[in-house]
């Protein structure tokens, strides 16, 4: 009989709200964080292009079970549109495809913003991860072929001008829902204004429920990371938990991703039953009696996600204590 392989890494869980620098891809960022934490498992909630900076929520361990809730959260981007040139990638990376000497006035831009607010139809960029006929759009586009990507519905809660540093650039901020491409916004606004445009700078400043105050830089992570592991025969070496304490303190609890769900508090005994897959009575004057989806906590730690029916919490997904 083959032996089951041991898991590699520490069983650390939580959310690291990473301030991704320009030039680093999302997959590269996850690998870097996983390596720093020596974590068993890691994943991210929403791709951020290498040319973009800012918030990339990274889930470790048990927190990977809550990734879909962060993926669905609203996002805020601050971006700069460079006017006068449309590019193949709709950002600085691509080749120029259209040019114009026209430059838009602030009034002209502002008058157009209502068209891009609310529920709108948007066509993703040619260079995007959208699958077309089983292939990624960017793989087809890199071969020089035109990609036929159908428009799709996205929601934009807020779109506003932040500043106009010069005639050729406008800094804007957008609060949008899942699936919105800021590069497409720049492209489409530029076409409507007749001057063309592309993204020259992009930063994600928030992903609900996280805020800018939660972000941790690469420099902060590297400063908190422990040095090389001690020799196996070093009797005076500190335990693993102590060596990684400073790094682990930068993590948010797994349950931080679930602000969108009703919350119930369980006793220690009830939490033990729920972790075994059993139901528990919901107690508390303000506790919900019915909810299609809710999360249960004990001693401030996430126990399970489930449903509440007639005052009973029924777990659907449990979390290690």
């Amino acid at each position: 009989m083959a032996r089951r392989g041991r898991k590699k890494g520490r069983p650390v869980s939580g959310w690291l709200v990473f301030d991704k620098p320009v030039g680093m891809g999302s997959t590269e960022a996850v690998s870097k964080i996983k390596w720093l934490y020596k974590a068993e498992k890691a994943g991210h909630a929403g791709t951020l292009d290498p040319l973009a900076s800012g918030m990339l929520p990274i889930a470790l361990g048990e927190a990977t079970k809550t990734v879909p809730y962060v993926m669905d959260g609203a996002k805020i981007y601050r971006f700069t549109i460079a006017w006068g040139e449309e590019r193949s990638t709709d950002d600085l990376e691509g080749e120029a495809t259209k040019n114009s000497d026209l430059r838009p006035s602030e009034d002209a831009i502002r008058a157009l913003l209502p068209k891009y607010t609310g529920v709108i139809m948007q066509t993703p960029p040619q260079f995007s991860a959208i699958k077309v006929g089983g292939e990624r759009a960017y793989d087809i586009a890199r071969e020089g072929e035109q990609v036929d990507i159908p428009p799709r519905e996205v929601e934009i809660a807020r779109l506003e001008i932040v500043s106009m540093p010069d005639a050729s650039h406008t800094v804007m901020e957008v609060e949008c829902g899942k699936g919105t491409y800021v590069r497409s916004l720049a492209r489409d606004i530029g076409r409507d204004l007749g001057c063309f445009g592309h993204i020259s700078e992009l930063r994600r400043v928030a992903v609900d429920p996280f805020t800018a105050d939660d972000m941790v830089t690469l420099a902060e992570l590297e400063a908190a990371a422990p040095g090389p592991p001690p020799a196996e025969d070093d009797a005076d070496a500190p335990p693993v938990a102590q060596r990684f304490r400073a790094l682990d303190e930068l993590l948010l609890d797994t349950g931080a991703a679930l602000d969108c769900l009703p919350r119930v508090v369980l006793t220690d005994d009830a939490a033990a039953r729920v972790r075994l897959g059993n139901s528990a009575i919901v107690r508390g004057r303000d506790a919900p009696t019915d909810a299609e989806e809710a999360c249960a906590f004990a001693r401030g730690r996430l126990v399970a996600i489930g449903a509440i029916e007639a005052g009973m919490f029924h777990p659907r997904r449990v979390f290690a204590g």
Side-chain angles (χ1 to χ4, degrees):
M1 178 182 289
R3 292 186 177 180
R4 183 177 297 176
R6 292 181 60 189
K7 290 184 177 179
K8 295 182 180 179
R10 298 193 303 136
V12 59
S13 295
W15 280 96
L16 190 284
V17 186
F18 185 44
D19 187 351
K20 188 191 80 65
V22 171
M24 178 181 283
S26 295
T27 301
E28 180 187 355
V30 172
S31 297
K32 179 71 172 180
I33 301 306
K34 185 179 180 183
W35 178 81
L36 282 171
Y37 277 89
K38 302 297 183 286
E40 288 180 350
K41 187 189 301 184
H44 66 76
T47 300
L48 203 54
D49 292 339
L51 289 180
S53 68
M55 186 177 293
L56 181 67
I58 295 176
L60 301 180
E62 290 285 275
T64 57
K65 298 176 182 178
T66 65
V67 163
Y69 298 92
V70 179
M71 292 281 285
D72 289 340
K75 300 167 180 65
I76 299 176
Y77 296 88
R78 182 162 290 202
F79 60 101
T80 300
I81 302 179
W83 304 114
E85 192 174 74
E86 188 170 306
R87 297 197 174 197
S88 57
T89 58
D90 300 318
D91 61 19
L92 280 174
E93 195 173 34
E95 298 178 352
T97 57
K98 297 176 183 178
N99 293 277
S100 173
D101 293 329
L102 296 175
R103 296 295 181 268
S105 67
E106 182 173 344
D107 288 343
I109 299 169
R110 199 176 300 280
L112 195 59
L113 298 186
K115 177 180 177 180
Y116 291 95
T117 306
V119 177
I120 67 170
M121 298 301 293
Q122 184 186 75
T123 301
Q126 292 283 296
F127 285 81
S128 64
I130 300 293
K131 281 195 173 182
V132 180
E135 292 186 73
R136 296 290 184 187
Y138 52 64
D139 288 330
I140 302 172
R142 282 171 185 152
E143 295 176 0
E145 297 182 36
Q146 185 72 17
V147 189
D148 184 18
I149 307 176
R152 57 185 186 170
E153 196 174 85
V154 298
E155 186 169 2
I156 297 177
R158 175 174 58 87
L159 177 62
E160 59 191 26
I161 296 172
V162 175
S163 65
M164 294 190 68
D166 56 56
S168 296
H169 298 86
T170 301
V171 181
M172 306 185 74
E173 190 168 280
V174 63
E175 181 178 350
C176 55
K178 181 180 178 181
T180 304
Y181 279 91
V182 181
R183 286 181 289 148
S184 293
L185 270 181
R187 177 200 66 207
D188 295 343
I189 292 173
R191 288 177 180 177
D192 278 348
L193 291 169
C195 63
F196 307 119
H198 65 274
I199 293 289
S200 62
E201 190 173 347
L202 175 63
R203 180 169 177 79
R204 188 157 65 193
V205 297
V207 178
D208 192 49
F210 307 122
T211 68
D213 291 338
D214 297 321
M215 282 199 282
V216 180
T217 66
L218 182 58
E220 290 173 315
L221 288 163
E222 291 177 335
E232 292 185 8
D233 59 353
D234 185 356
D236 296 324
V240 172
Q242 183 176 330
R243 292 182 56 238
F244 282 86
R245 182 172 298 161
L247 203 58
D248 291 347
E249 286 177 350
L250 298 176
L251 293 175
L252 299 180
D253 185 70
T254 296
L258 302 177
D259 282 359
C260 57
L261 299 180
R263 178 180 297 209
V264 298
V265 178
L266 303 176
T267 64
D268 290 347
D269 289 342
R273 293 196 300 273
V274 166
R275 284 197 172 100
L276 292 174
N278 299 313
S279 301
I281 298 174
V282 175
R283 302 185 184 279
R285 185 179 62 183
D286 298 324
T289 56
D290 290 279
E292 291 184 2
E293 197 168 33
C295 51
F297 284 73
R299 295 183 179 269
R301 306 286 290 183
L302 180 63
V303 176
I305 297 172
I308 302 174
E309 298 175 1
M312 293 289 291
F313 178 81
H314 305 285
R316 292 174 180 164
R317 171 160 277 185
V318 298
F319 294 79

